[in-house]
Amino acid sequence: MDDDGTRGVRGSSADRVPGPALPPPPTAPPRVPAPAAGPDPAATPVEQRPTRPGPASPAEQPVPGAPVDAWLRTPRPPQEPGVWRYGYTPPPPEEPEGVSNRSLLVGALISLLSALLLWSLWRNGYLPYRLVPLKLFTPGEWWNPGTSGGPRTIEGSDALTVYEAILFGLLAYGCGRIGNFSELFRRHVADRGQPFLALAAAAAAGLTQLLVWKEALPVVRPVLVLVASVAGGEIYQSQTVVNVIYAVIAAAVLYPFARLGRWRELIAARRGTAAPAPSGTAAAPATATSADQWPELRTAGWTDAADTLTAEARTGRMNDVDVARLRHAWALATRRPDRLAPLAEAVLRTGGAAALHPSGHRDLPRRGARHDVLTGQVRIGRCADDPHNPYVRRGTGLALEPALLGTSLLAVGPPGAGKTARLIRPVVEALALRALAGQAAVLAVGGAGAPLGPDDAFDVVVRLGHPGSAHDIDLYGGTTDPDEAAAVLAEGLVGDVGSLDSRRAATVLAQLLGPYRAAHGHFPSVPELRELLDGTPAALAGLRASLETAGHHAMLRELDARSRQAGGPGDPAPALADRVALLDRPAFTGFFATGPDARPFSLRALGQHPLRVRVDLPERGHAEASRLLTRLLLAQFTAITAARTDTTLFACLVLDDATHAVTAETVRGIRRLRSVNAGAVLALRTVDDVPETLHTPLLGAVGCTAAFSGITTWDGKRFAEAWGKEWVETREVAQHTVFADQPFTRALHALRKLVTGKAVTTDAVTVRQVERERWSASELAYAVPAGHAVIRLATVEGEHAPPLLVHLDG
């Protein structure tokens, strides 16, 4: 990467892509490591970066047998906002509310006892007209006279045996259906899995075999009668035939229990002959137009380039970032036809290494979350199985993507709730991967030591107050307009001071920045700006002399106006000077330089290049200065992104701690980000870290909000109001005492009250539709478990999802 000879210099200009010095190019092509086991091909790279070879952790390796082409063919159906789309399968239809275990067991027991009683009455002849249906379809000479007359001949006895077996089968079937034995078996036997299922089925099979051969169940004799009636009684003269019939009966009785107990699957699993379950999502079958065949290149006629990329993907020489980067590069090239041929030639020459990121990196050094770079999603958790969540979202993965971050995200939770590790870092990783694919630029701001990612994962790392920092920050945002620089700097310096008007502060700064730039060609450094705001006579006299020498009469009038207003009531200059003094400390010596030799990093580069930038703030020793700089970076980001003319690159600012960083002007700027393909992620310990007058505007400006476990009821109330209400169906049960008029009924009621200790009552049920909060303040404060958060998402197109309880595993 060309850095214009600035290696070793703290900073880089806004119109060049800054980055650390790269090692010399390798003399041989990079080695592709052999695949190793891993959990998910969407979250694992297949190749290390060419300039930084080295082994990766097992979690970062592709799954064996599932290279990039299989990952590329995995379906990603469009879903509601926030659904993890990689390999998504819809849940089964919601089952109606089932009966309780107690009711199920009681119903099955009553059904069984009723069936036994009915069968006993049948066998003992207590049911009248029990043989009438049989006599209607058999000859009359088989039976004794009368409706209750039994069989007279052997044929009648055989017919009665078969008749009883058929009735027993119907009675058993009806008992099973009425008693809901299938649900009882599924809930208490099948759901326990193997080997309990197989053992229970074996025990039931043994008991059934015993009852069959003891002739307690009418099975053996009816079968023998039917065989004799079909094949003749002479068939039983052969003992071998009899043994075969007995074996068939035993097997027929055993077969249903073998199916219920899944004995075949258990035996195959024990022997190790079962087909191994895929560790990842099953890949869709390859077709001539599947995604791994690069159909967009083939349609445009670049068949050779498509064949090259297909071979690279199938041999493991490409990773998921390469695929996303080349797809994006091809989409951009189609808008400029003159770029198609160079891109195709680069693909033929270098394969998956074509159109590299300016840093030369093809992946992050390591990943801590599951990513699908093709869609830009990062999985941060799983929707809990909770009544607050819609049925279709329970158990599904929750993911964030640029379409959601474009509406900005506000995360609130106490220290230790997991905001940084489970939300902020996965988002920064996802944006860094998008940057390597040429589709995004990310600025991550946090305290020194915050786990936002290793240094190798960023192109620019600014360590403010650290003498070894290779880069610096431009306080003026890289602009040359004094008014624009004054407006942004005023927000950063005194935007949190409610008693000061930021517009007046911007006017004061413009009256000093304009003349100074006209006289010296650049804006003042921090010590010089402090002297000008303090009204130091020597500083003002020197500036006046320079303006008079150069003939800048308009700027002299600006300086004269500042001199007249200095010291007046409500003059914001002293407050500005006090805030600038926070940056004029020995720890920041050499930082924020503005001279001709200083080239600090400017946020304007984020709108022009797919940069990965991290800013470390000295929160421990300089807390107020860190908050000032955070507020300044937020103001610069909203102003710079709103002024972009090319919005094809998604730009995102991530603040690990946005305490006292939000002002009225930045809230308006955050609201404008979604229209310029940009977003901001703000993390707060409590909403009270924002001025009270901005609570409602801030919650209304962001589209995505996250309330972590442990928030207070005050914060919960604000989220509950922002998320609104929904119509729910409620059931109200009122118990009314029953008063009896008859003496016998009163006696029964008195006896029941004596036994139970309660009066006889009747229930009056009222069902109605009421409007209730989706999540109440108390539920958010006390019902959200540790490691969970309630997240509400919305897209830039206007789609939104209800607040979901999510178990964070980011």
Side-chain angles (χ1 to χ4, degrees):
M1 180 179 58
D2 182 15
D3 59 4
D4 197 22
T6 60
R7 295 180 181 176
V9 180
R10 180 184 296 160
S12 178
S13 60
D15 56 349
R16 292 180 175 83
V17 183
L22 297 177
T27 57
R31 294 186 299 107
V32 181
D40 187 2
T44 55
V46 239
E47 185 179 7
Q48 296 297 316
R49 298 172 300 160
T51 58
R52 299 180 184 270
S57 62
E60 297 175 317
Q61 298 296 334
V63 177
V68 176
D69 59 337
W71 167 83
L72 194 55
R73 292 196 306 269
T74 302
R76 297 165 174 84
Q79 293 298 322
E80 296 179 0
V83 175
W84 175 251
R85 293 167 50 192
Y86 179 79
Y88 173 81
T89 54
E94 184 176 8
E95 297 180 358
E97 184 178 357
V99 297
S100 63
N101 290 332
R102 179 179 179 181
S103 301
L104 193 63
L105 291 172
V106 171
L109 182 60
I110 293 176
S111 175
L112 180 61
L113 294 177
S114 301
L116 291 176
L117 176 62
L118 187 62
W119 181 247
S120 177
L121 294 175
W122 167 271
R123 293 296 299 268
N124 292 287
Y126 290 107
L127 295 180
Y129 311 106
R130 65 191 186 95
L131 298 180
V132 172
L134 180 60
K135 292 180 179 182
L136 291 177
F137 296 95
T138 54
E141 60 269 15
W142 291 2
W143 310 98
N144 291 320
T147 56
S148 301
R152 177 189 299 178
T153 62
I154 296 177
E155 290 83 359
S157 298
D158 293 342
L160 180 59
T161 300
V162 176
Y163 179 60
E164 287 183 346
I166 294 175
L167 290 180
F168 179 82
L170 294 176
L171 181 63
Y173 176 77
C175 173
R177 291 296 301 271
I178 295 175
N180 205 2
F181 278 85
S182 59
E183 176 65 18
L184 186 67
F185 174 80
R186 183 193 65 80
R187 188 179 298 183
H188 295 283
V189 180
D191 286 351
R192 295 192 179 186
Q194 300 288 10
F196 180 82
L197 176 61
L199 293 176
L207 178 61
T208 304
Q209 290 281 9
L210 179 63
L211 296 176
V212 166
W213 297 113
K214 290 293 184 179
E215 296 191 1
L217 300 179
V219 176
V220 178
R221 289 180 58 83
V223 171
L224 296 178
V225 168
L226 289 176
V227 172
S229 63
V230 173
E234 296 81 4
I235 193 174
Y236 295 118
Q237 295 178 358
S238 173
Q239 186 62 35
T240 302
V241 174
V242 174
N243 293 337
V244 170
I245 293 176
Y246 285 163
V248 171
I249 293 175
V253 173
L254 202 62
Y255 178 75
F257 296 97
R259 290 290 302 273
L260 289 175
R262 301 175 185 174
W263 295 351
R264 183 177 179 182
E265 299 176 7
L266 181 61
I267 294 173
R270 294 294 182 183
R271 292 180 177 178
T273 58
S279 57
T281 306
T287 60
T289 57
S290 59
D292 67 311
Q293 298 286 332
W294 299 85
E296 59 273 15
L297 272 70
R298 299 183 186 277
T299 303
W302 300 98
T303 307
D304 294 341
D307 293 338
T308 300
L309 294 179
T310 302
E312 291 264 317
R314 293 184 176 180
T315 56
R317 296 185 60 83
M318 289 181 65
N319 60 16
D320 51 356
V321 179
D322 294 331
V323 174
R325 186 186 68 251
L326 290 173
R327 280 175 169 264
H328 179 67
W330 182 262
L332 293 180
T334 53
R335 304 175 188 175
R336 299 278 301 272
D338 57 315
R339 296 184 179 180
L340 290 176
L343 178 60
E345 293 176 0
V347 169
L348 293 175
R349 184 174 62 257
T350 61
L356 272 181
H357 186 264
S359 66
H361 299 169
R362 298 172 65 176
D363 201 355
L364 298 179
R366 56 181 176 271
R367 304 185 189 182
R370 295 180 61 186
H371 299 272
D372 184 18
V373 187
L374 200 60
T375 59
Q377 288 190 318
V378 53
R379 180 184 172 115
I380 63 171
R382 172 181 51 83
C383 296
D385 187 4
D386 187 84
H388 286 92
N389 293 342
Y391 172 76
V392 295
R393 298 301 297 268
R394 297 175 190 174
T396 61
L398 189 82
L400 296 176
E401 56 183 307
L404 299 172
L405 298 178
T407 64
S408 298
L409 185 147
L410 175 66
V412 179
K419 300 188 301 297
T420 301
R422 300 182 179 183
L423 179 65
I424 299 299
R425 175 158 182 173
V427 168
V428 173
E429 274 188 8
L431 294 172
L433 290 172
R434 296 276 296 180
L436 291 178
Q439 305 175 43
V442 56
L443 171 62
V445 182
L452 300 180
D455 294 351
D456 292 346
F458 296 92
D459 303 311
V460 176
V461 177
V462 181
R463 296 185 179 90
L464 292 174
H466 193 283
S469 177
H471 297 279
D472 194 358
I473 286 292
D474 187 356
L475 291 179
Y476 305 99
T479 183
T480 58
D481 184 0
D483 293 327
E484 181 181 351
V488 174
L489 188 58
E491 283 296 322
L493 293 177
V494 295
D496 61 329
V497 181
S499 59
L500 285 180
D501 187 358
S502 59
R503 291 175 296 181
R504 291 192 61 186
T507 301
V508 170
L509 288 172
Q511 290 172 345
L512 295 174
L513 296 181
Y516 191 94
R517 178 172 179 81
H520 301 281
H522 57 82
F523 290 121
S525 62
V526 169
E528 294 168 336
L529 180 60
R530 180 183 180 184
E531 291 180 352
L532 292 175
L533 290 171
D534 281 334
T536 304
L540 293 176
L543 179 58
R544 182 182 300 275
S546 299
L547 292 174
E548 291 175 350
T549 303
H552 295 291
H553 302 289
M555 293 303 171
L556 281 172
R557 289 195 299 270
E558 287 285 300
L559 192 59
D560 291 338
R562 171 85 287 270
S563 300
R564 290 192 302 270
Q565 298 170 4
D571 183 17
L576 290 171
D578 292 340
R579 290 300 178 88
V580 173
L582 296 174
L583 303 180
D584 189 17
R585 305 298 301 165
F588 299 121
T589 302
F591 286 86
F592 315 122
T594 59
D597 297 333
R599 303 179 63 187
F601 169 74
S602 172
L603 265 63
R604 291 189 179 274
L606 291 174
Q608 304 170 11
H609 308 288
L611 287 176
R612 303 166 295 165
V613 184
R614 193 188 77 204
V615 178
D616 295 342
L617 301 176
E619 289 185 347
R620 294 182 180 179
H622 303 275
E624 287 297 327
S626 298
R627 294 175 181 176
L628 187 154
L629 292 171
T630 302
R631 190 163 52 249
L632 177 62
L633 291 174
L634 177 58
Q636 287 185 0
F637 180 82
T638 55
I640 290 171
T641 53
R644 287 193 304 170
T645 57
D646 184 7
T647 59
T648 57
L649 197 68
F650 178 73
C652 188
L653 169 67
V654 181
L655 297 182
D656 185 48
D657 184 5
T659 302
H660 301 296
V662 179
T663 65
E665 183 61 32
T666 53
V667 168
R668 287 188 287 269
I670 290 173
R671 189 178 290 112
R672 293 192 298 264
L673 291 179
R674 66 180 65 191
S675 62
V676 293
N677 195 24
V681 179
L682 311 177
L684 294 171
R685 295 181 178 90
T686 173
V687 182
D688 290 331
D689 288 338
V690 176
E692 185 176 358
T693 56
L694 297 179
H695 291 173
T696 300
L698 177 61
L699 289 172
V702 298
C704 303
T705 49
F708 283 71
S709 61
I711 65 172
T712 63
T713 52
W714 293 273
D715 289 342
K717 179 181 178 181
R718 298 181 180 96
F719 280 107
E721 292 175 350
W723 291 339
K725 300 180 180 181
E726 62 179 347
W727 290 98
V728 296
E729 184 180 277
T730 61
R731 295 170 60 89
E732 296 180 357
V733 180
Q735 292 185 341
H736 303 284
T737 303
V738 178
F739 298 96
D741 297 332
Q742 302 298 325
F744 180 73
T745 307
R746 286 199 297 270
L748 289 179
H749 287 184
L751 179 61
R752 180 176 176 181
K753 184 176 181 180
L754 181 64
V755 173
T756 62
K758 297 180 181 179
V760 180
T761 59
T762 182
D763 294 340
V765 181
T766 303
V767 181
R768 60 179 180 175
Q769 295 283 337
V770 297
E771 193 176 20
R772 288 185 177 176
E773 294 175 332
R774 300 178 184 271
W775 282 84
S776 67
S778 298
E779 288 175 329
L780 289 173
Y782 303 111
V784 179
H788 291 65
V790 181
I791 301 178
R792 188 255 186 188
L793 301 175
T795 66
V796 292
E797 290 82 10
E799 299 182 57
H800 59 85
L804 302 171
L805 179 63
V806 181
H807 175 252
L808 300 170
D809 54 11

